[in-house]
Amino acid sequence: MSKTKSSRIRRRIIRSGVATAAATATVVATMAAPASAASVTLTLSSAVGPGTSDKNTAPSDAVTITASATSAWLSGYSAQVKAVLSVAACATTVPAATTDTAPVAGSTTTGLIVVDVTATRLTDYKAAIGIPANLPMATTSPQKYNICVYSSSTATAPLIGSAAYTAAVPPTATKVTPASGLATGGNTITITGSGFPTTSSGLTGTLGGVPLTGVTALGPSTFKATVPAGKPNTTAVLTVTTTAGTATLQAAYKYANGINIAPNTAPNTADQVYVDVMGSGFSGLSFESKSGVGGAGRLLTPALDTKARVFLVSGVYDPSIINTNEYKNGPFAECGAVAVISDRELICGMDLTNGYDPAKGTVYGTKTAVKEGTYTLTVVNVGKLGATVATDDLLQTDLSSGSTFTVAPY
């Protein structure tokens, strides 16, 4: 055999051996490939939920959240997959449940608690995860868990998805300060309790069913908020909601039927003082005379004139009769020409240069200015004289510092 022919044969053998080795390597690589895809990081519809810190805490409510990913991480799996909550990092295969059924705050079982939860495949991209009521807390609130989702409940089923989850004790509400205010709302209250988040975005609340505004977290036991308008002379229920639950405080706040006024001072040389009155229920009042009868210089006509009025009073308005045709405590002036702007606002005008005799309900015989001093501007539902005044005939605003009016040369 020639040398050239021998070289050609040797090259063919070498090429054949390389090809065979490559094919063998390909087969081995194919057999070594994993049977399942790697675990994905999931996005939860709510990453925080209710738990219970110790035996004495009322059980929280069960909740359902969803766990999603942009990839089809549930493709090919049955409707029921396996999920657990684990204090430790997610195991690569299904762990055994080690739930402490009555953990206490500061428990030494941190890292051992594994809680079985329900998991249902909804689509290739999303599963529903059921978080049980009274979720065990291995440490003080909040408790960090991992949601671990496995392809099935068998012991060797691989981890296919995971996400971080926080359990927190539901809030409590014990006190509102101050506990009352004007029905117009707008003032600031402080709510005291427990289990409040330290970020304002995690808090919402209502007072009398109306949302609180300006909610500002001050710490785990307090937050402040702005009071909404409410119905006069009623007490309102407070609700406080966090991601861990809702707290309710009955009769938490009383809405007083008071008023705020501006301006709240003028000299007795002013014959035309326009006062802006903020309160409640003005649209339901009639400030026009229903009788059409009046006497010269007389403020009220006995039993006939039943219109609502705005009075300047020293102390508390009381139209009861103590002597013949005399008030017990009548007005020193009337803020007349009332214009109702809305249910919560009206504007009226006073002449402080020509006041009324508070005993008679009439102007004095000669033009007499209202004496300097501190008075109260008050709105009465019905202003009329009579030997007795029925309850429904005298529905005036509760007096408050906001309705004080001072007659002085400021």
Side-chain angles (χ1 to χ4, degrees), residues 4 31 49 83 140 198 210 253 294 303 316 331 364 371:
T4 301
M31 292 179 63
T140 55
T198 54
V210 182
Y253 188 84
V316 179
Y364 290 97
K371 292 181 180 180

Side-chain angles (χ1 to χ4, degrees), residues 218-244:
L218 300 177
S221 61
T222 55
F223 71 92
K224 65 180 182 179
T226 301
V227 176
K231 186 178 180 180
N233 296 321
T234 61
T235 55
V237 176
L238 171 75
T239 65
V240 178
T241 301
T242 71
T243 51

Side-chain angles (χ1 to χ4, degrees), residues 14 30 69 80 102 119 136 147 150 169 189 244 349 353 363 374 380:
I14 292 172
T30 300
Q80 294 301 315
I147 291 183
Y150 300 88
V169 175
I189 54 174
T353 68
V363 295
T374 299
V380 296

Side-chain angles (χ1 to χ4, degrees), residues 224-279:
K224 65 180 182 179
T226 301
V227 176
K231 186 178 180 180
N233 296 321
T234 61
T235 55
V237 176
L238 171 75
T239 65
V240 178
T241 301
T242 71
T243 51
T246 298
T248 301
L249 180 61
Q250 299 291 333
Y253 188 84
K254 182 176 181 179
Y255 282 108
N257 193 16
I259 58 175
N260 282 319
I261 61 175
N264 61 2
T265 183
N268 59 6
T269 57
D271 61 0
Q272 198 172 46
V273 181
Y274 289 103
V275 183
D276 190 356
V277 181
M278 301 298 296

